Amino acid sequence: MTILGTVKDETIRKWVNELKHIAIIGGGITGLAAAYYAKQQGARVTLYEANDRLGGKIKTIHRDGFVLECGPDGYMARKPTLTDLIQELGLDGQLVRSKTGTSYIYVRQKLRQMPDGSVMGIPTKFWPMVKTDLFTWRGKFRAGLDLVLPRVYHGTDISLDTFFRTRLGPEVVESMIEPLLSGIYNGTLQDMSIESTFPQFITIERKKRSLILGMKALTPPVQAGATPREAGKFLSLRNGLGTLTEALRPAIDQLYLNTRVAAIRPHEVELSDGTVETFDGIILATSPEALGPMLGLAEAAQLSDLKRTSSLTVLAAFKETDVAALDGTGYVIAKREGNALTACSWMHKKWPHMAPAGMALLRVYIGSEHVPPLLKEDDETIAAFALDELRTIQHVGKPLFTKVERHLDTMPQYEVGHKAYVRSFNRALAALDGVEACGAILDGVGLPDCVDSAKQAVERLNVTPEVLV
C-alpha cells in the first residue's frame, strides 16, 4: 500500500481518530485523569481497580471540622496541567493556596531558620549565609568553593549525594539539602538519580558552572524599597483533594473494584478469574509491581523490581493552645539528629481550611528506616511513638485524636540509571499495539506529573495516523 496523504473528508477523519472502548488499569489519580481525557475524546471507558476504592494515594477524611489529607495535601502550583484539569471540572472556586512563613530545620538539637535566599537548599545570598547558625564556618567556607569548582556532571547519571556533596560540601548536604529533598521521594540522596529527579540542576551547572551563581540568576531581583511578595508554592482544594476523585468518577462508564488484572495483550485484558475482554485501546496506570506480571516483558519486570519504599504518617489534632508553634508552616529534621521523624507540618498554618478556629493539626513523617518494624504495630502504638519523638523537638499536649496512614511499597525510587530503564520499557511497550502506560514510575511522582502523564498516554493512543490506501 502507498501513503497518499492526509484524508480531507471530515467523516473519514473522525472515524480514523475516534477512541472507542478503552480499558484503564488502575484507579489512582493517573487512571482517573486518563479516564477523563479519554472520555473527552468520545471514548467509552472501563476501569479496573484492584482495591476497594478509587483515588490511590489521595484520601481525604472529614472529622470534627478537620480536613484530614491522608496522602498528598497539595501540589506544585507552577505545574499547570492539574490546575487546568481542576478548572475544566468546575472546581476552580475551591482552589486554595498554601500559606508561607519562616522555614526551619532541626539541626544540632535546635530549630534553626533556613538562610534567607535559599532555594531548594542552595544558598543564593551572601550575608544570610554568613550570618546563619545552621552551618559552622568550615561548612560555609566549603560551600563557597562552589563558585570556583569545575563541573561535576559529565553526561553520565550520578546520585544527588555525589553531585551536591562535591559542589557544596558535606555540611550543606546533611544539614539542609538532604532533609529538604530526600523527603520528596522518601529515599536517600545516595540512591537518587539526578537525571530523573532534579535535572534542572544539571542545566544550571551546564550554563553557569556554579550552582550558587546559577540559582541566583534564576531568582528575580527585588526593586529598591519594595517588599517581596510571598506566595505559597502549593495549591489544594478547600474540601480536600478527595473532591477531585469524586469529580473524575463520572468519566468512567463501567467500574470494577476489587478486580485484579492478570495479563495484558494487544487489545485484550485478562482478569484473574480467566475472563478475557477486548478493547480498542488499553492504558496501564497501575502500580509498578504489577507491570511485569501483567505484560510478561523483561523490561516491565525490570521496572517492577526497582526499589520502592513504604511510609508512615501520623495526623494529630490538638487545641491550638496545646501546641508550641513558631511563625512558619513546619520544619524538616536532619537525619544525623537521630530522631525517627523526618519532618513535621503545621497543617493548620500551611492550610488554614484544614482545622477549625482555635484548633491545630500536625502531620509528622516517620523516617523510612523506622517504618518496617513499626508496620507490625497497631495504630495507637505508632501514634504514641511519633508523638514521643515529636516532643523531643517541640511541646505538644494531649491530642484530641490521631490518624495513622500506612503507604506500603508505594513510592518508586528514581535510582541512578532510572531513565535508561524507562527508555527500555517504552521501546518494548511500543511493540504492543493499542497499549500505553503512564504513572509515577515513568514520568514523575507529583500529582501534576501523574495527570500530565495520563494526558500524554491518551494522546498517544489517539494519534491520527496517515491514511494508507
Side-chain angles (χ1 to χ4, degrees), residues 143-157:
L145 292 180
D146 168 78
L147 298 169
V148 297
L149 286 173
R151 291 177 178 84
V152 175
Y153 177 81
H154 298 289
T156 302
D157 198 11

Side-chain angles (χ1 to χ4, degrees), residues 39-52:
K39 177 60 67 177
Q40 293 300 102
Q41 296 296 321
R44 183 160 60 93
V45 176
T46 295
L47 189 146
Y48 298 98
E49 167 55 48
N51 296 306
D52 61 359

Side-chain angles (χ1 to χ4, degrees), residues 175-222:
S175 296
M176 187 159 65
I177 293 178
E178 195 272 342
L180 287 171
L181 299 190
S182 63
I184 297 173
Y185 291 87
N186 192 37
T188 64
L189 298 192
Q190 290 89 343
D191 292 334
M192 294 161 63
S193 153
I194 190 167
E195 290 183 351
S196 296
T197 55
F198 297 99
Q200 61 267 40
F201 290 122
I202 296 175
T203 303
I204 290 169
E205 190 193 47
R206 183 183 298 125
K207 289 181 177 179
K208 296 290 185 178
R209 185 183 48 76
S210 162
L211 284 188
I212 294 174
L213 294 179
M215 294 300 286
K216 183 177 179 64
L218 292 176
T219 305
V222 178

Side-chain angles (χ1 to χ4, degrees), residues 209-249:
R209 185 183 48 76
S210 162
L211 284 188
I212 294 174
L213 294 179
M215 294 300 286
K216 183 177 179 64
L218 292 176
T219 305
V222 178
Q223 294 181 351
T227 301
R229 179 178 176 271
E230 285 281 345
K233 297 178 181 179
F234 299 91
L235 291 171
S236 191
L237 295 173
R238 184 172 290 105
N239 290 331
L241 290 172
T243 308
L244 180 60
T245 301
E246 296 167 7
L248 290 169
R249 168 64 181 85

Side-chain angles (χ1 to χ4, degrees), residues 96-339:
V96 290
R97 188 175 287 271
S98 61
K99 301 299 182 183
T100 62
T102 304
S103 299
Y104 297 91
I105 297 179
Y106 186 72
V107 63
R108 299 199 305 281
Q109 304 300 306
K110 182 180 176 182
L111 283 173
R112 302 172 191 272
Q113 291 187 19
M114 196 178 301
D116 184 37
S118 297
V119 181
M120 297 181 74
I122 312 301
T124 64
K125 294 183 180 180
F126 177 72
W127 280 115
M129 187 68 175
V130 170
K131 293 186 294 183
T132 184
D133 62 352
L134 197 56
F135 317 113
T136 66
W137 281 105
R138 182 187 295 271
K140 295 171 186 177
F141 176 79
R142 175 59 184 85
L145 292 180
D146 168 78
L147 298 169
V148 297
L149 286 173
R151 291 177 178 84
V152 175
Y153 177 81
H154 298 289
T156 302
D157 198 11
I158 56 176
S159 72
L160 290 180
D161 186 74
T162 296
F163 182 80
F164 288 118
R165 197 174 287 266
T166 305
R167 291 230 62 90
L168 298 165
E171 265 197 60
V172 171
V173 170
E174 294 167 13
S175 296
M176 187 159 65
I177 293 178
E178 195 272 342
L180 287 171
L181 299 190
S182 63
I184 297 173
Y185 291 87
N186 192 37
T188 64
L189 298 192
Q190 290 89 343
D191 292 334
M192 294 161 63
S193 153
I194 190 167
E195 290 183 351
S196 296
T197 55
F198 297 99
Q200 61 267 40
F201 290 122
I202 296 175
T203 303
I204 290 169
E205 190 193 47
R206 183 183 298 125
K207 289 181 177 179
K208 296 290 185 178
R209 185 183 48 76
S210 162
L211 284 188
I212 294 174
L213 294 179
M215 294 300 286
K216 183 177 179 64
L218 292 176
T219 305
V222 178
Q223 294 181 351
T227 301
R229 179 178 176 271
E230 285 281 345
K233 297 178 181 179
F234 299 91
L235 291 171
S236 191
L237 295 173
R238 184 172 290 105
N239 290 331
L241 290 172
T243 308
L244 180 60
T245 301
E246 296 167 7
L248 290 169
R249 168 64 181 85
I252 305 168
D253 296 291
Q254 285 185 296
L255 173 63
Y256 295 92
L257 297 175
N258 295 308
T259 303
R260 294 194 173 274
V261 173
I264 296 294
R265 295 178 289 272
H267 303 288
E268 287 188 348
V269 173
E270 181 180 340
L271 304 181
S272 57
D273 64 2
T275 302
V276 176
E277 301 287 350
T278 60
F279 297 91
D280 297 294
I282 301 166
I283 295 179
L284 291 167
T286 186
S287 55
E289 68 266 24
L291 289 174
M294 280 185 192
L295 290 170
L297 299 172
E299 296 82 358
Q302 191 173 50
L303 287 186
S304 292
D305 291 340
L306 293 180
K307 182 180 177 181
R308 298 183 303 278
T309 58
S310 300
S311 64
L312 282 170
T313 60
V314 180
L315 285 156
F318 300 87
K319 293 180 179 178
E320 196 165 15
T321 53
D322 289 338
V323 173
L326 302 174
D327 175 28
T329 56
Y331 51 90
V332 294
I333 302 164
K335 186 176 291 186
R336 64 185 185 185
E337 293 305 299
N339 196 287

